[in-house]
């Protein structure tokens, strides 16, 4: 099936399942497999309304979430079965996207999970979806860079299909972990994702503000999958009151902001998708417009930090027992970036433990490819490089982690 922009995704799954009897007493994924007619009806309606991509109902089917519901050693099988239902609903009229969502776990110091564990949690889910023959992957409702990066690496370990990533953020454009969405975009597109955007954060009006910010940093198509307005709590339940005509009123502005991929999140239904199809009929997408095309797009975990190509770092910091103090001193200095020398994977692990101190672009000084990769896997930003590692190795690390060299 040929992909054309603007591309229309589907609408909500969770709120539509609730209309059909899902109460949350068990995981949504277990309930869907026990009531397959529910998702088939929802998704067939979306295709009829104009959706050209269906999200497999695998949102909470990573290993962590399934085990929280008492489902063990079935991650890949669950995802194969869930994706198969969407393929049945699509019937060749829409693409099927394998859907990966947050684990709910945090790295130190906010939590105790390792980055390696996050990748391990997502890998069997990605493998099951790949085995089911999904056409692409969506990594959605991301709240932390660690989950998003881990999910991308897990998918890349089993498939070369396209990856879409969407974050959720507050009115200031910050994710739960404090990451600005522009930093998330720079890091994700450095890792080679095919589209980036927002979902579930709010209604179209609130989302438009942040998408306009993203356009100035984007080199990939932008995604808008808003809720049907801001929810209101009525009798203990979230109620979404944005009707289809209001939901699509800002489509022209979203197009001008660089959005090429549209859909709906919580509270939307087939009526919202049909309205999107009508509003996008004959529409042309405005390409992204990077504000700093000649600068180096570095980022810490929280902030985007563009650098001139000739930017210099200060004294190179060695990994010693004084690493925290040395990093703090470098943060207080005048140099535009900080450089850390790595001699071993143990050094990379030590740096990962104190990366929360890094508030400037990071340059990794290293002559060992394995050590550099260990550091790039665990560093939750987009780093620069200095050293004598062969070009072939650097090109691979650039493709996987967005390394700047």
């Amino acid at each position: 099936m040929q992909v054309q922009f603007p591309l229309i995704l589907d609408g909500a799954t969770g709120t539509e399942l609730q209309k059909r009897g899902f109460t949350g007493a068990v995981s949504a994924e277990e309930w869907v497999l026990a009531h397959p007619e529910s998702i088939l009806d929802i998704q067939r309606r979306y295709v009829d309304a104009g959706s050209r991509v269906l999200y497999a109902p695998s949102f909470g089917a990573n290993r962590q979430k399934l085990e929280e519901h008492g489902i063990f050693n079935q991650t890949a099988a669950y995802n194969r079965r869930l994706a198969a239902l969407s393929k049945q609903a699509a019937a060749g009229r829409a693409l099927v996207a394998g859907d990966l969502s947050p684990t709910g776990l945090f790295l130190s110091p906010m939590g105790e999970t390792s980055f390696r564990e996050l990748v391990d949690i997502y890998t069997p889910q990605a493998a099951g979806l790949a085995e089911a023959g999904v056409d692409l992957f969506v990594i959605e409702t991301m709240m932390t860079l660690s989950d998003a990066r881990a999910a991308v690496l897990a998918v890349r370990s089993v498939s070369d299909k396209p990856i879409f990533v969407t974050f959720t953020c507050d009115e200031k454009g910050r994710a739960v972990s404090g990451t600005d969405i522009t930093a998330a975009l720079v890091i994700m597109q450095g890792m080679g994702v095919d589209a980036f955007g927002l979902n579930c954060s709010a209604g179209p009006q609130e989302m438009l503000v942040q998408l306009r910010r993203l356009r100035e940093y984007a080199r990939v198509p932008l995604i808008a999958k808003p809720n049907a307005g801001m929810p209101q709590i009525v009798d203990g339940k979230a109620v979404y009151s944005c009707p289809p005509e209001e939901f699509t009123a800002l489509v022209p502005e979203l197009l001008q902001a660089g959005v090429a991929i549209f859909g709906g999140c919580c509270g939307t239904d087939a009526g919202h998708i049909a309205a999107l199809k009508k509003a996008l009929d004959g529409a042309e997408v405005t390409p992204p417009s990077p504000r700093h095309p000649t600068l180096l797009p570095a980022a810490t975990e929280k902030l985007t930090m563009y650098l001139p190509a000739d930017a210099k770092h200060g004294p190179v910091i060695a990994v010693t027992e004084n690493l925290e103090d040395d990093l703090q001193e470098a943060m207080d200095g005048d140099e535009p970036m900080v450089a850390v020398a790595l001699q071993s994977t143990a050094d990379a692990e030590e740096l990962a433990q104190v990366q929360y101190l890094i508030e400037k672009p990071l340059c990794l000084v290293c002559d060992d490819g394995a050590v550099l990769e260990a550091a790039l896997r665990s560093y939750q930003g987009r780093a620069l490089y200095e050293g004598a590692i062969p070009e072939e190795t650097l090109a691979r690390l650039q493709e996987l982690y967005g390394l700047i060299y």
Side-chain angles (χ1 to χ4, degrees):
M1 180 178 173
Q2 186 176 5
V3 173
Q4 295 182 330
F5 295 112
L7 180 65
I8 301 178
L9 307 172
D10 60 11
T13 297
T15 50
E16 286 298 290
L17 290 175
Q18 291 170 9
K19 294 177 183 178
R20 290 160 175 81
F22 171 61
T23 64
V26 297
S27 77
E29 293 70 31
E30 183 177 356
W31 192 88
V32 164
L33 291 176
H35 304 83
E37 70 286 349
S38 61
I39 197 66
L40 291 174
D41 177 57
I42 292 167
Q43 295 196 323
R44 284 169 178 158
R45 289 174 184 265
Y46 283 141
V47 175
D48 289 342
S51 293
R52 290 299 169 259
V53 178
L54 295 176
Y55 284 23
S58 53
F59 181 88
N62 61 65
R63 192 189 74 201
Q64 174 69 24
K65 290 301 183 183
L66 289 178
E67 289 184 356
E68 288 176 6
H69 286 92
I71 302 166
F72 294 88
N73 304 315
Q74 298 184 62
T75 302
Y78 256 62
N79 282 274
R80 285 195 300 269
R81 294 168 64 193
L82 292 164
L85 288 173
S86 291
K87 289 176 74 70
Q88 183 180 344
R93 297 193 295 153
L95 302 175
V96 173
D99 189 352
L100 298 87
S101 76
T103 62
L105 303 175
F106 294 90
L107 301 182
S108 176
M110 294 179 67
E112 299 180 353
T113 304
S114 70
F115 186 71
R116 177 178 296 178
E117 176 65 12
L118 290 179
V119 177
D120 289 344
I121 286 170
Y122 281 117
T123 299
Q125 180 179 24
L129 294 168
E131 290 164 7
V134 297
D135 301 293
L136 68 154
F137 293 83
V138 291
I139 297 167
E140 65 155 321
T141 322
M142 287 289 111
M143 303 178 188
T144 66
L145 265 171
S146 52
D147 265 358
R149 293 181 71 251
V152 169
L153 291 174
V155 169
R156 282 286 172 253
S157 73
V158 299
S159 175
D160 60 0
K161 297 288 181 66
I163 299 175
F164 293 179
V165 177
T166 54
F167 269 66
T168 183
C169 67
D170 63 18
E171 68 279 2
K172 295 181 180 179
R174 298 276 181 153
V176 167
S177 58
T179 297
D180 189 278
I181 54 167
T182 61
L185 166 62
V186 166
I187 293 165
M188 290 289 100
Q189 66 188 2
M191 295 179 73
V193 305
D194 298 273
F196 180 91
L198 303 175
N199 80 288
C200 199
S201 307
Q205 183 172 358
E206 296 81 9
M207 191 172 283
L208 175 61
V209 176
Q210 303 304 329
L211 288 162
R212 283 173 171 159
R213 293 180 63 223
L214 288 173
R215 181 172 180 250
E216 297 185 354
Y217 298 86
R219 291 179 171 85
V220 295
L222 294 178
I223 305 168
K225 208 171 192 284
N227 293 339
M230 297 293 287
Q232 295 181 328
I233 304 301
V234 179
D235 296 330
K237 296 182 179 180
V239 176
Y240 299 87
S241 56
C242 180
E245 60 274 12
E246 182 180 333
F247 182 77
T248 56
L250 293 177
V251 162
E253 286 85 351
L254 289 166
L255 286 163
Q256 291 174 6
V259 176
I261 304 170
F262 294 78
C265 206
C266 300
T268 60
D269 57 25
H272 294 82
I273 300 304
L276 271 178
K277 185 175 186 299
K278 181 179 179 181
L280 291 167
D281 185 32
E284 293 186 5
V285 173
T286 302
S289 180
R291 185 170 60 182
H292 305 295
T294 62
L295 301 183
L296 301 177
T300 67
E301 181 181 5
K302 291 183 170 59
L303 294 174
T304 307
M305 297 181 177
Y306 279 76
L307 292 170
D310 60 353
K312 305 296 183 183
H313 57 70
V316 178
I317 297 172
V319 178
T320 68
E321 61 183 12
N322 298 318
L323 179 59
E324 289 189 58
D325 291 337
D326 291 341
L327 281 174
Q328 192 60 65
E329 183 177 347
M331 294 307 110
D332 294 335
D334 296 330
E335 294 84 4
M337 62 177 157
V338 59
V340 177
L342 303 173
Q343 305 291 334
S344 66
T345 54
D347 285 353
E349 291 170 1
E350 287 294 322
L351 179 61
Q353 291 300 312
V354 297
Q355 64 178 298
Y356 64 91
L357 292 171
I358 298 174
E359 298 175 350
K360 294 181 178 181
L362 172 66
C363 180
L364 298 170
V365 181
C366 183
D367 293 327
D368 186 309
V371 172
L372 179 60
E373 180 161 12
L376 290 171
R377 281 182 71 85
S378 58
Y379 178 57
Q380 301 304 312
R382 188 174 185 187
L384 298 93
Y385 166 75
E386 182 179 292
I389 292 172
E391 177 76 20
E392 181 179 351
T393 299
L394 293 176
R396 182 179 65 83
L397 297 180
Q398 181 185 56
E399 182 177 358
L400 274 175
Y401 306 103
L403 176 66
I404 302 169
Y405 68 96

